Amino acid sequence: MTTKQTLQPATKHPNPRISRAFFALFFSALFALFFATILHADSSEDSALLMGADSLYHNDFNESFDHFLLLFDETKEPYYAKLAAQAAIGKGDLESAFRLALLYVELSGENDDVVINKILADAYAQNGNLANAIKALQKVYKLEHTPQVGEVLGNMYMLQKSPKKAQEIYQEIYDETKNVEILKKLVFAYAMQDANQKALDLLSKHLLEYGCEEPFCQESLKVYADLQGLDKAKAVFEKIYVKNPTIPNATNFIRVLVALKNFQEAQGVAQSFPFDKGLVLDLYVMQGDYEKARTQAAQIYKESKDPRFLALEAVYEFGNSKQIPRERAQKIATKLEKAIKERKSELSASGQKPNTQDAFFYNFCGYLMIDYDLGLKKGVEYVKEALDIEPDSLAYLDSLAWGYYKLGDCESALKVFALIPQNKINDDELRAHARQIGGVCGKRQK
């Protein structure tokens, strides 16, 4: 008998991230623009200009846009087209902002204005014209050399599949800020160039110098795994753990050891700290040490009275055996029935429904009773309860078909077993059941 189920312990833009980044960049200039607008006024335009500037300053972008557009229509002064474009961005009218920005460049001959090029870069990016968006933002970055602008430009290079250019910008920003979000982008840029070793060296250096906090620790482990660098991760997280043996550092080290299947070493680390006892139990299972797993589950049940651990104790008592004495099977089934009864009372009291782990216990108990003739009808009922939770489980369908077969109900056995696709009958127990049910019941049906 087997349990038959594992225990459960840039093509087209717009890009909303770029759009939000541009939006933030624009408003760093709005207040300065208010004062520049006042200074730009002359006597014939003061009233309309100041009203527009006041609206801009108070974030009334619709009114500000109307004032500046009227001034531009009356004077054809490029500066008012620029202010109207700025107000259009504020009110979310990118199309008008783009048209006015182009008009400003055409009338003024000024190609290097920071605000105008931010508008052009945003509009080009939103319309999928990445090449022109990059050209515009390169001009901005020369004049406004900040990490915020650099990051947006780097993101555009990545979308353009130019990781080398992105890497150079990300590296500059990371060297200045040591920001982990930039570090992640820098590592990815190296990986896109197949420079996995450089990516891992950079990540390792950062972790050893600055440590990590969640969720960056788990994200880092995924990077090591994806770039085939788990051995390097082990060396890094072991150093961090030895230097500062805290529970978070131990947890990260255990994660690496588990990923490397170094379960015994992980067990040793876990037992040095007051971890959740369920973690220690899981590590025993990973090592295939079902006797220690059974003892651990029994201890947890004794302390917590959680019936799931009583059920696990019973399951681990069976372990990975293919056959056990009938008396032992009866003892395990009795313990499982007790656990299931307690668990059902617990679920009823809390108003919860059984989950997939409950389904596993129902099927395990039911199949055990069927296979060892400990109560065929009751066993079939348990399996049906498992299928109520997971109706497509091939393991549970096999259990039910086997129960019907043992009850002599060939019609039901064949009908249920037929629900299992032929190409999924790929383990010894399923093949044996297929031969026996098909052979015996098939002949009877004829």
Side-chain angles (χ1 to χ4, degrees):
M1 180 229 184
T2 60
T3 63
K4 299 180 289 183
Q5 180 169 300
T6 306
L7 284 175
Q8 296 175 7
T11 51
K12 193 77 174 166
H13 315 283
N15 187 312
R17 294 183 186 176
I18 287 178
S19 184
R20 286 195 296 272
F22 275 121
F23 197 72
L25 292 176
F26 286 129
F27 286 91
S28 65
L30 270 177
F31 297 110
L33 246 166
F34 169 67
F35 296 107
T37 301
I38 293 173
L39 292 172
H40 196 271
D42 72 33
S43 57
S44 63
E45 301 163 14
D46 276 352
S47 179
L49 182 56
L50 289 175
M51 288 177 66
D54 184 66
S55 299
L56 188 67
Y57 182 71
H58 290 96
N59 295 335
D60 187 348
F61 300 113
N62 286 307
E63 186 173 341
S64 179
F65 176 76
D66 291 341
H67 283 302
F68 290 136
L69 192 60
L70 180 61
L71 280 168
F72 175 72
D73 287 341
E74 291 176 349
T75 66
K76 303 306 179 187
E77 167 62 49
Y79 183 67
Y80 296 136
K82 174 181 173 178
L83 293 178
Q86 183 91 357
I89 281 290
K91 73 190 189 82
D93 185 356
L94 185 59
E95 183 179 347
S96 294
F98 182 52
R99 176 174 52 80
L100 287 161
L102 290 175
L103 195 56
Y104 172 82
V105 172
E106 179 186 344
L107 295 174
S108 69
E110 175 59 61
N111 292 307
D112 295 325
D113 184 275
V114 170
V115 171
I116 290 298
N117 277 293
K118 285 180 181 179
I119 294 172
L120 293 176
D122 192 9
Y124 282 131
Q126 294 300 305
N127 290 322
N129 191 337
L130 198 55
N132 279 336
I134 288 173
K135 287 179 184 178
L137 200 58
Q138 284 171 334
K139 295 176 183 178
V140 176
Y141 196 44
K142 286 180 181 178
L143 299 166
E144 194 176 295
H145 203 77
T146 64
Q148 293 82 3
V149 176
E151 183 179 0
V152 177
L153 182 56
N155 295 346
M156 284 189 168
Y157 282 136
M158 291 296 282
L159 290 169
Q160 194 188 43
K161 302 196 186 318
S162 301
K164 176 65 175 172
K165 292 179 180 179
Q167 168 224 310
E168 291 169 355
I169 292 178
Y170 291 149
Q171 185 72 61
E172 181 184 355
I173 300 171
Y174 173 72
D175 290 343
E176 178 184 343
T177 65
K178 304 302 180 187
N179 181 282
V180 295
E181 295 303 318
I182 296 298
L183 173 63
K184 289 188 286 187
K185 293 180 179 185
L186 179 56
V187 166
F188 185 52
Y190 274 121
M192 279 188 68
Q193 299 172 75
D194 294 322
N196 291 357
Q197 195 57 49
K198 285 186 178 180
L200 293 174
D201 287 346
L202 180 68
L203 179 59
S204 300
K205 184 174 184 292
H206 179 95
L207 290 170
L208 289 171
E209 287 185 12
Y210 303 103
C212 67
E213 296 180 358
E214 296 299 353
F216 182 54
C217 297
Q218 289 198 57
E219 292 169 348
S220 297
L221 288 174
K222 186 176 186 309
V223 171
Y224 281 113
D226 289 345
L227 301 184
Q228 287 77 53
L230 282 174
D231 288 329
K232 185 180 283 286
K234 180 178 184 293
V236 169
F237 282 97
E238 185 173 17
K239 286 179 182 177
I240 294 172
Y241 165 66
V242 170
K243 181 180 178 181
N244 188 16
T246 63
I247 287 181
N249 288 341
T251 301
N252 292 323
F253 187 35
I254 289 170
R255 286 170 178 158
V256 180
L257 293 172
V258 169
L260 287 167
K261 302 189 186 305
N262 292 354
F263 301 125
Q264 192 167 358
E265 190 175 354
Q267 188 82 45
V269 176
Q271 288 177 327
S272 302
F273 291 88
F275 280 112
D276 184 325
K277 292 181 180 179
L279 170 63
V280 179
L281 188 152
D282 288 341
L283 288 169
Y284 282 134
V285 175
M286 290 174 188
Q287 296 173 77
D289 193 338
Y290 291 106
E291 179 54 33
K292 286 184 179 178
R294 184 196 66 77
T295 302
Q296 181 75 4
Q299 182 62 32
I300 296 173
Y301 174 68
K302 183 179 179 180
E303 295 174 2
S304 68
K305 299 303 178 185
D306 185 333
R308 291 172 296 183
F309 288 99
L310 178 60
L312 287 172
E313 179 192 348
V315 169
Y316 295 143
E317 188 172 343
F318 191 96
N320 59 0
S321 307
K322 290 190 175 179
Q323 202 67 26
I324 59 174
R326 190 174 185 277
E327 295 76 15
R328 188 176 167 196
Q330 179 66 70
K331 178 184 173 184
I332 293 171
T334 300
K335 191 173 291 185
L336 273 167
E337 285 199 276
K338 181 177 185 293
I340 289 170
K341 183 178 179 181
E342 290 181 10
R343 172 68 173 160
K344 285 182 175 180
S345 296
E346 185 181 81
L347 290 171
S348 177
S350 63
Q352 294 179 304
K353 293 183 178 180
N355 58 30
T356 54
Q357 188 183 49
D358 294 306
F360 171 80
F361 293 141
Y362 298 160
N363 178 71
F364 197 103
C365 184
Y367 188 84
L368 193 68
M369 297 177 80
I370 292 166
D371 209 40
Y372 285 85
D373 294 310
L374 303 175
L376 293 175
K377 290 184 178 179
K378 185 184 283 189
V380 165
E381 291 306 310
Y382 276 126
V383 174
K384 285 181 178 179
E385 287 188 80
L387 281 164
D388 285 341
I389 300 168
E390 292 191 84
D392 298 322
S393 169
L394 303 185
Y396 303 168
L397 289 170
D398 174 54
S399 295
L400 184 58
W402 189 239
Y404 282 136
Y405 170 76
K406 298 273 299 250
L407 284 168
D409 185 349
C410 274
E411 183 179 354
S412 295
L414 287 168
K415 183 178 179 181
V416 171
F417 204 84
L419 297 173
I420 303 174
Q422 286 294 318
N423 63 347
K424 299 295 184 181
I425 302 175
N426 51 16
D427 68 46
D428 291 341
E429 192 164 38
L430 274 173
R431 282 192 286 267
H433 288 174
R435 286 193 298 270
Q436 199 154 347
I437 294 172
V440 175
C441 289
K443 288 178 182 178
R444 289 183 187 175
Q445 293 293 87
K446 291 178 182 178

